[in-house]
Amino acid sequence: MPKLQGFEFWSRTLRGAHVVAPMVDQSELAWRLLSRRGAQLCYTPMLHAQVFVRDANYRKENLYCEVCPEDRPLIVQFCANDPEVFVQAALLAQDYCDAIDLNLGCPQMIAKRGHYGAFLQDEWDLLQRMILLAHEKLSVPVTCKIRVFPEIDKTVRYAQMLEKAGCQLLTVHGRTKEQKGPLSGAASWEHIKAVRKAVAIPVFANGNIQCLQDVERCLRDTGVQGVMSAEGNLHNPALFEGRSPAVWELAEEYLDIVREHPCPLSYVRAHLFKLWHHTLQVYQQLREELAKVKTLEGIAAVSQELKLRCQEEISRQEGAKPTGDLPFHWICQPYIRPGPREGSKERAGARSKRALEEEECGTEVLSKNKQKKQLRNPHKTFDPSLKPKYAKCDQCGNPKGNRCVFSLCRGCCKKRASKETADCPGHGLLFKTKLEKSLAWKEAQPELQEPQPAAPGTPGGFSEVMGSALA
């Protein structure tokens, strides 16, 4: 069957406009199946192409063991910065999905350190080679998810470059790579609209989607073929159905799916924190319990207790109306991410998320995460002046071995020592010594003679041995 391209691929394979975004540790199979009640297309979490190529267990855990007939159409997303590695990973995944997506939108620090995601958006030559090679080698279409540049015209040229290289569908997140965390702000639909008018392939919009009305307005205002939701979907997986059910309905349905399609407990816990977000602001003690439980049934028990508390509150408030703009806290509803404090927006632009948190909480107050760590280990200190200083590896930036002859970390040292057949006593790597011992041992051994097989019938021969065994 010939590979479908562009609008033919979108209309015949994807068949819809409601899309669940790729979310690390969050868009796993169980969540995708729950979201497909209203979504027509889902993405896997972002997978690391290099790890996917070299690690069979990683492939099994993240894709091969998650094959499910109901989980289609499906797009597998990879992060990569090498054309060959990207294509190798895509070839291993293409039989399990309908398209392969290249992540060019991740703005997090891990993407900066790993040199992928949105931090490739200025390397147009590299991206052209990656998309072109994938388009030539794969039997399924290649797609891209990008963030915008501040300038609309540069964003348009970026999109056109990807289209020319062979991208068959483009998802445009209407924020720049600097817009993240408390500095997210609103996504620019003007950028998305300009891209849609400038390219001849389907475009999906991402950003500012909290309810079905936002989806309809985005389709109308931008002219895109599909609308993707990430955070809105996490707080209300029934978003694309236009429903806002009681939280426990979706929580119980999700837990039932997890029992059938297991996933790491950390994923389940994170999803319930999102679903119950508003209620957990009311019942702080149950929030702590949800953070501490170690089993799926323990998480289900906390969710059940939250349900009972909400039902008791409902019985006491019959006839009451919610205060403010949001419905009652036990109803699935959007989470509006708070921005930096008013009056300090300009200064906040150049500061880290940690700096903003310290401004809000005061430098003497530990974050919730650090408080939990200190509960587990009362002697733990977070004073930066007491933190040990490590010299960095010359190649990768990890702490180097103090006695390494190459001034590298153990991983880099092992690669170099193996390549050069050298020793590093500091890391206990003795490639040169072992080779010399092996050669010396071989020289010291007399030439080994192959034993001659005994002739049949002779003493010790096969016939005699078998005869005596039978006797």
Side-chain angles (χ1 to χ4, degrees):
M1 182 178 175
K3 180 165 65 175
L4 299 178
Q5 299 185 18
F7 277 94
E8 188 180 18
F9 162 63
W10 170 72
S11 61
R12 292 177 57 180
T13 302
L14 304 184
R15 306 184 301 274
H18 298 164
V19 187
V20 175
M23 297 173 283
V24 174
D25 297 345
Q26 296 282 265
S27 57
E28 82 286 356
L29 175 61
W31 189 260
R32 296 197 301 265
L33 292 176
L34 177 69
S35 300
R36 284 185 186 275
R37 303 291 190 272
Q40 290 123 359
L41 169 65
C42 292
Y43 283 64
T44 66
M46 180 193 75
L47 305 177
H48 199 295
Q50 194 170 46
V51 181
F52 196 84
V53 169
R54 72 166 185 254
D55 191 337
N57 286 333
Y58 185 78
R59 294 195 292 272
K60 285 173 61 178
E61 291 167 4
N62 290 281
L63 185 61
Y64 294 174
C65 288
E66 292 202 343
V67 174
C68 180
E70 296 83 16
D71 189 34
R72 300 298 280 270
L74 176 69
I75 295 180
V76 173
Q77 187 187 74
F78 286 108
C79 67
N81 55 24
D82 180 280
E84 294 292 339
V85 173
F86 175 50
V87 171
Q88 287 176 37
L91 287 169
L92 290 168
Q94 66 178 359
D95 293 338
Y96 299 86
C97 62
D98 298 284
I100 299 292
D101 187 76
L102 177 61
N103 183 325
L104 299 175
C106 180
Q108 303 304 328
M109 185 55 66
I110 191 171
K112 185 176 183 179
R113 289 196 296 266
H115 191 53
Y116 60 79
F119 298 93
L120 294 178
Q121 68 178 168
D122 290 312
E123 301 189 33
W124 291 16
D125 289 341
L126 172 62
L127 296 180
Q128 281 180 311
R129 287 187 284 116
M130 291 176 75
I131 299 300
L132 183 61
L133 187 62
H135 180 55
E136 290 174 353
K137 299 289 186 182
L138 300 182
S139 61
V140 296
V142 59
T143 69
C144 296
K145 184 173 186 288
I146 66 172
R147 284 197 169 220
V148 300
F149 290 95
E151 307 85 7
I152 290 181
D153 62 332
K154 188 174 181 180
T155 304
V156 167
R157 286 186 282 111
Y158 182 40
Q160 289 172 329
M161 177 273 293
L162 295 171
E163 178 190 18
K164 187 177 179 181
C167 176
Q168 301 302 314
L169 183 147
L170 197 59
T171 301
V172 184
H173 187 156
R175 294 183 175 92
T176 65
K177 70 176 186 289
E178 291 76 26
Q179 287 181 275
K180 58 183 179 179
L183 305 178
S184 289
S188 169
W189 286 0
E190 287 302 313
H191 283 71
I192 300 172
K193 182 178 180 180
V195 169
R196 173 66 206 98
K197 289 181 176 179
V199 298
I201 55 175
V203 174
F204 289 166
N206 183 207
N208 303 347
I209 305 301
Q210 299 287 2
C211 60
L212 188 60
Q213 288 74 23
D214 292 336
V215 175
E216 294 164 351
R217 188 164 56 88
C218 184
L219 289 168
R220 184 178 65 250
D221 292 356
T222 63
V224 293
Q225 282 66 48
V227 174
M228 176 182 285
S229 175
E231 196 153 306
N233 164 261
L234 290 175
H235 287 273
N236 181 11
L239 180 152
F240 288 122
E241 298 177 74
R243 296 193 302 126
S244 294
V247 172
W248 58 81
E249 290 181 25
L250 294 178
E252 289 171 356
E253 190 175 353
Y254 172 64
L255 291 170
D256 287 341
I257 298 172
V258 170
R259 292 185 183 98
E260 187 178 350
H261 301 282
C263 64
L265 196 68
S266 60
Y267 298 7
V268 183
R269 193 195 315 275
H271 279 305
L272 263 69
F273 267 119
K274 295 282 188 183
L275 287 171
W276 285 110
H277 173 82
H278 297 283
T279 300
L280 289 171
Q281 309 309 307
V282 178
Y283 301 110
Q284 290 284 338
Q285 181 58 41
L286 290 176
R287 180 186 180 84
E288 296 300 321
E289 288 186 29
L290 183 58
K292 291 176 184 177
V293 290
K294 304 292 185 185
T295 64
L296 181 63
E297 294 313 313
I299 287 178
V302 175
S303 184
Q304 179 65 20
E305 180 62 25
L306 283 164
K307 173 184 175 179
L308 294 174
R309 299 274 185 100
C310 290
Q311 289 177 334
E312 289 173 6
E313 196 172 334
I314 291 169
S315 64
R316 292 195 303 270
Q317 295 184 2
E318 278 188 25
K321 293 184 179 180
T323 57
D325 297 328
L326 293 174
F328 293 113
H329 61 77
W330 53 80
I331 300 298
C332 287
Q333 57 194 280
Y335 166 67
I336 309 302
R337 187 188 294 274
R341 287 199 313 185
E342 293 298 322
S344 62
K345 289 184 179 178
E346 290 183 10
R347 290 181 292 111
R351 286 160 32 208
S352 67
K353 179 179 177 182
R354 181 172 296 177
L356 289 167
E357 287 174 348
E358 287 177 354
E359 181 186 85
E360 295 292 340
C361 303
T363 54
E364 300 300 318
V365 179
L366 294 177
S367 67
K368 289 182 180 178
N369 201 24
K370 288 179 179 178
Q371 288 175 23
K372 288 175 189 173
K373 288 180 180 178
Q374 205 163 53
L375 278 174
R376 292 194 293 267
N377 180 6
H379 302 293
K380 190 170 183 66
T381 178
F382 297 97
D383 186 347
S385 63
L386 300 177
K387 190 175 181 180
K389 301 293 188 292
Y390 297 105
K392 291 185 178 179
C393 169
D394 294 344
Q395 291 187 6
C396 69
N398 287 326
K400 74 174 184 179
N402 290 332
R403 294 181 294 166
C404 177
V405 296
F406 301 116
S407 295
L408 302 174
C409 67
R410 195 176 196 284
C412 296
C413 176
K414 187 174 182 180
K415 290 177 186 176
R416 181 166 172 180
S418 174
K419 185 177 180 181
E420 299 179 6
T421 317
D423 287 349
C424 177
H427 280 124
L429 302 172
L430 304 173
F431 292 100
K432 182 180 178 182
T433 301
K434 288 180 179 178
L435 179 63
E436 290 173 348
K437 285 183 178 180
S438 175
L439 293 173
W441 181 83
K442 286 181 181 177
E443 289 174 2
Q445 298 304 308
E447 210 171 300
L448 296 176
Q449 303 271 338
E450 284 194 13
Q452 297 294 326
T458 60
F462 178 76
S463 301
E464 184 178 329
V465 173
M466 287 301 294
S468 48
L470 291 170

